[in-house]
């Protein structure tokens, strides 16, 4: 009877696979951290010169439209670097107490202009959910990535994507089935589509970075890996239900804050400090950035 030997071998192979995956993520995180500084330097100079060009042009000048497009492309490049840093956990998270209905609503309004006309968003957003500790940009990214994936899963003739935000309480049975679920009160974000669905073999790999079933050029395989990293960093959990031909439902759970909500922020002082003849010393190792900020300060 070699059952125990076979099980030990399978366990060893699993651990080795997890170790290789961890090492790959660490290597990618190191690479991302290395390129991010230089790449962001390039983008900083680009954005600075675009703003300088805007200052030289009258409001009605037709070239302002081209500058807007240039800035939009630059922001996409900046967001791509941010995605890599997010799932490699090299990006600082600014989590503050807030309610999610505002963030989710803003993301859905943006999606309305992105999705084709044959794709219908069906939002059911509760405005009375408890506050959670969240990073606005990262939650926005979760909504955008999940909805974009749902869109790509729909047939060519389109379909519906249901997005629900509600208060949810984990039961003992829920936690027994998934020990990653936060206990107690949560805020649950659900994104459901009636698309092609995901088979069980693929379902085991969907959160792996660079894993994608899309055609070449239609996806990087970073979307769900980024979502998973963000949810984990927020102390939450993600659950997927899918069947081939019956669509897919993603449920994201964020633990609710039990402490009292913070009071309203005090108004900033009306008097803006003014210099009294001092000079500004600007130091940067990138000549392009130094020149751009120099001109912007002038």
């Amino acid at each position: 009877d070699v059952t125990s030997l076979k099980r030990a071998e399978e366990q060893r192979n699993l651990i080795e696979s997890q170790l290789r995956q961890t090492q790959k993520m660490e290597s990618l995180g190191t690479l991302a951290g290395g390129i991010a500084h230089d790449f962001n330097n390039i983008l900083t100079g680009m954005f600075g010169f675009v703003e300088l060009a805007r200052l030289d042009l009258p409001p009605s000048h037709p070239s302002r439209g081209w500058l807007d497009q240039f800035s939009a492309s630059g922001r996409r490049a900046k967001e791509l670097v941010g995605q890599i840093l997010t799932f490699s956990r090299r990006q600082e998270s600014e989590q503050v107490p807030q309610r999610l209905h505002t963030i989710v609503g803003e993301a859905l309004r943006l999606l309305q202009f992105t999705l084709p006309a044959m794709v219908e968003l069906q939002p059911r957003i509760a405005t009375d959910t408890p506050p959670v500790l969240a990073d606005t940009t990262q939650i926005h990214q979760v909504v955008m990535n999940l909805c974009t994936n749902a869109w790509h899963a729909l047939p060519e003739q389109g379909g519906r994507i249901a997005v629900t935000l509600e208060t949810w309480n984990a039961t003992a049975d829920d936690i027994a089935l998934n020990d990653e679920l936060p206990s107690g009160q949560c805020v649950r974000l659900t994104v459901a589509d009636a698309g092609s669905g995901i088979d069980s073999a693929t379902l085991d790999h969907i959160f792996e970075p660079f894993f994608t079933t899309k055609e070449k050029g239609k996806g990087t395989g970073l979307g769900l890996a980024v979502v998973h990293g963000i949810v984990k960093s927020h102390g939450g959990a993600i659950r997927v239900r899918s069947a081939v031909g019956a669509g897919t439902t993603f449920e994201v759970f964020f633990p609710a804050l039990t402490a009292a909500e913070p009071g309203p922020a005090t108004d900033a002082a009306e008097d803006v400090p003014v210099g009294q003849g001092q000079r500004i010393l600007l130091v940067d190792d990138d000549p392009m950035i130094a020149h751009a900020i120099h001109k912007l300060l002038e």
Side-chain angles (χ1 to χ4, degrees), residues 44-58 64 67 70-71 287-298:
T44 300
M46 289 168 52
F47 286 133
F49 291 124
V50 167
E51 292 305 315
L52 287 168
R54 280 201 183 99
L55 293 173
D56 286 341
L57 295 176
R64 280 183 169 269
L67 293 176
F70 189 90
S71 294
M288 183 173 63
I289 292 180
H291 182 58
I293 298 180
H294 172 203
K295 291 299 180 183
L296 285 169
L297 288 172
E298 285 185 342

Side-chain angles (χ1 to χ4, degrees), residues 66-144:
W66 301 120
L67 293 176
D68 292 340
Q69 294 295 325
F70 189 90
S71 294
S73 297
R75 284 193 298 272
R76 287 179 59 192
K78 183 178 178 182
E79 288 167 2
L80 180 58
V81 173
Q83 286 193 23
I84 296 173
L85 293 175
T86 296
F87 86 78
S88 62
R89 306 200 177 178
R90 293 287 298 273
Q91 190 177 44
E92 293 295 327
S93 178
E94 298 179 3
Q95 297 180 8
V96 296
Q98 56 187 314
R99 298 183 186 275
L100 294 185
H101 67 273
T102 303
I103 307 172
V104 175
E106 289 175 353
L108 294 182
R109 283 192 291 274
L110 179 60
L111 276 165
Q112 292 281 9
F113 298 102
T114 305
L115 299 175
M118 63 274 198
V119 176
E120 179 188 355
L121 275 177
Q122 293 184 323
R124 291 189 291 273
I125 309 300
T127 59
D128 58 350
T129 57
V132 303
L133 200 61
D135 181 295
T136 300
T137 302
Q138 292 185 348
I139 299 300
H140 188 276
Q141 198 169 6
V142 167
V143 177
M144 297 292 285

Side-chain angles (χ1 to χ4, degrees), residues 87-283:
F87 86 78
S88 62
R89 306 200 177 178
R90 293 287 298 273
Q91 190 177 44
E92 293 295 327
S93 178
E94 298 179 3
Q95 297 180 8
V96 296
Q98 56 187 314
R99 298 183 186 275
L100 294 185
H101 67 273
T102 303
I103 307 172
V104 175
E106 289 175 353
L108 294 182
R109 283 192 291 274
L110 179 60
L111 276 165
Q112 292 281 9
F113 298 102
T114 305
L115 299 175
M118 63 274 198
V119 176
E120 179 188 355
L121 275 177
Q122 293 184 323
R124 291 189 291 273
I125 309 300
T127 59
D128 58 350
T129 57
V132 303
L133 200 61
D135 181 295
T136 300
T137 302
Q138 292 185 348
I139 299 300
H140 188 276
Q141 198 169 6
V142 167
V143 177
M144 297 292 285
N145 285 1
L146 289 179
C147 289
T148 300
N149 267 20
W151 162 32
H152 291 162
L154 294 174
E156 290 186 4
Q157 61 269 29
R160 296 175 180 175
I161 301 173
V163 181
T164 306
L165 185 74
E166 59 193 341
T167 305
W168 184 82
N169 289 282
T171 65
D173 292 338
D174 290 321
I175 296 175
L177 292 173
N178 186 349
D179 58 4
E180 293 185 348
L181 287 176
S183 59
Q185 193 175 59
C186 300
V187 177
R188 178 171 67 175
L189 171 69
T190 306
V191 177
D193 65 73
S196 54
I198 307 171
D199 61 71
S200 57
T202 303
L203 208 58
D204 294 334
H205 301 282
I206 58 174
F207 294 117
E208 295 178 3
F210 305 113
F211 177 83
T212 180
T213 57
K214 298 174 184 176
E215 298 176 14
K216 187 176 181 180
K218 291 191 175 181
T220 61
L222 290 177
L224 289 178
V226 167
V227 169
H228 187 267
I230 291 173
V231 173
K232 286 292 185 184
S233 71
H234 282 70
I238 186 166
R239 187 165 63 183
V240 188
R241 292 181 283 110
S242 186
V244 176
T248 303
T249 299
F250 283 87
E251 294 175 295
V252 182
F253 303 88
F254 297 100
L257 284 179
T258 55
E261 292 184 57
T266 56
D267 293 334
E270 293 183 3
D271 295 332
V272 179
V274 179
Q276 298 177 350
Q278 297 94 335
R279 294 177 178 271
I280 295 174
L281 173 64
L282 172 66
V283 181

